[in-house]
Amino acid sequence: MGDVEVPAPRRGLLGPGVVVAAGLAVGQVLSYAQAVAGARVLGPEGFGELSTLTNLLVIGAVVALAVQTVSARRVAAGEPGSDPPALVRLGLTSGTAVTLVGLVLVPVVVLALRLPWPAALAVVLTLWPLTLAGTGLGRAQGDEYFVRLGGLYAVLAAARFGLAIVVLVATRSVTATVVAALVGGLVGWLFVRWREALPWTSSARLAPDVRHETLHTTHALLAMFVFTSCDLLLARYVLPAAEAGQYAAGSVVLKIAFWLPQVVAVVVFPRLAQGERRTLVQGTVAVVALGLLVTVGFAVTGPWLLPWLLGPAYAAIASQSWVFGLAGTAEAAAYLLLFSRLAARDRLAAVAVWGAVLVLAASVLTVAHGSPVQIAAAVTGVALALCVVGAWANRR
């Protein structure tokens, strides 16, 4: 299939960025549509439960992103392990491993976060098809076939979130919604496998260097996703249920400011893997600009837009939604800088991110636990400090 597509022009980020952004936008729009539907249908407590499960899935799906990142880097650099059988072996091995680990952790998560065990089990099982799909996404990304990549993103999101939203509205059940997302994930993976012409199984062995790179990349991305997701879990732990639901509403703005600029990381990464370091400055400027655009937009429209979207129960947090926009912008910049270190195969990048996780947790548990806004401000400060560390590492 790759022989009939022409890679995106190499002169800038705008053209490829628009194409990938269109595909990612489907997932972002449907994700926030699910959040809006959940807020209206479930109420603050039920919405907090669904948001917690969604964030657990985001953390677990870090392995899928690691598989995509390793696949993209090797395809872009033309290294061994970039052929379809090797990519399938990487997906199968990684998907099975993360699913087994998740099954072991289900009882702990259910007890600690007061979640229904069928929903937690469905989240774990969803990780398997998402990880397998990561190999196909990585192949398209590494080859810089951005039209194809945007289409794959769109289909995966439509299958997963589309079905989940329908079931959520029809059943008003958190568990049924998560099970629907599992079914949609399976459908999306089958489409990616067909579109990328990947074999069902592979007899190829997973080379030691591929395994080591995947483990390192997973470690670094896991640290980053824990950092960008633990705020919601911390809020649920330290705040009363109603205020935790308010933070979940504010985190909708945070995630918009965080995820909207991620198209920049997708486009820049193959070029960073090929040694084009100058694109990092251009990418950082684009990320910050997009994040600030979201922040200013919610500073102006948040007081009436959030209550209109989520319901009057969330009016208290609406006027302060810009604080969450700043937090998401800082996290997005730190995320891009982490990818620049992964392209350089910097094995110390994860250490800095785990340090940020510990600092954030300590801040919330000891000082910044009085309100949702205090937690968002803590996220902003720690993310900016992480950006300083990342910028120093790249300059060095």
Side-chain angles (χ1 to χ4, degrees), residues 18-100:
V18 169
V19 172
V20 178
L24 288 173
V26 175
Q28 291 171 346
V29 169
L30 290 177
S31 173
Y32 296 121
Q34 176 178 291
V36 171
R40 287 186 170 276
V41 169
L42 301 174
E45 292 192 24
F47 179 49
E49 187 176 273
L50 180 61
S51 298
T52 301
L53 288 164
T54 301
N55 273 270
L56 289 173
L57 180 60
V58 169
I59 294 174
V62 69
V63 179
L65 181 57
V67 167
Q68 177 181 344
T69 302
V70 172
S71 302
R73 199 198 66 77
R74 290 186 169 267
V75 170
E79 294 182 1
S82 59
D83 56 288
L87 294 179
V88 169
R89 174 52 57 192
L90 172 61
L92 288 171
T93 303
S94 303
T96 302
V98 68
T99 303
L100 291 176

Side-chain angles (χ1 to χ4, degrees), residues 145-238:
Y145 292 149
F146 292 119
V147 173
R148 177 192 299 179
L149 180 62
L152 294 179
Y153 278 137
V155 171
L156 278 168
R160 205 169 111 218
F161 290 110
L163 182 60
I165 292 171
V166 171
V167 172
L168 171 62
V169 174
T171 66
R172 298 174 177 262
S173 167
V174 172
T175 298
T177 301
V178 178
V179 171
L182 166 60
V183 175
L186 289 168
V187 173
W189 161 62
L190 291 173
F191 180 83
V192 172
R193 191 210 68 82
W194 166 76
R195 185 65 183 88
E196 288 299 306
L198 296 174
W200 287 100
T201 60
S202 173
S203 60
R205 296 183 59 185
L206 191 63
D209 63 325
V210 177
R211 181 168 59 251
H212 294 158
E213 182 181 356
T214 304
L215 289 173
H216 162 65
T217 303
T218 300
H219 179 208
L221 291 176
L222 175 62
M224 192 65 198
F225 272 81
V226 170
F227 175 67
T228 57
S229 301
C230 69
D231 60 320
L232 193 62
L233 304 181
L234 288 168
R236 185 171 177 82
Y237 180 77
V238 302

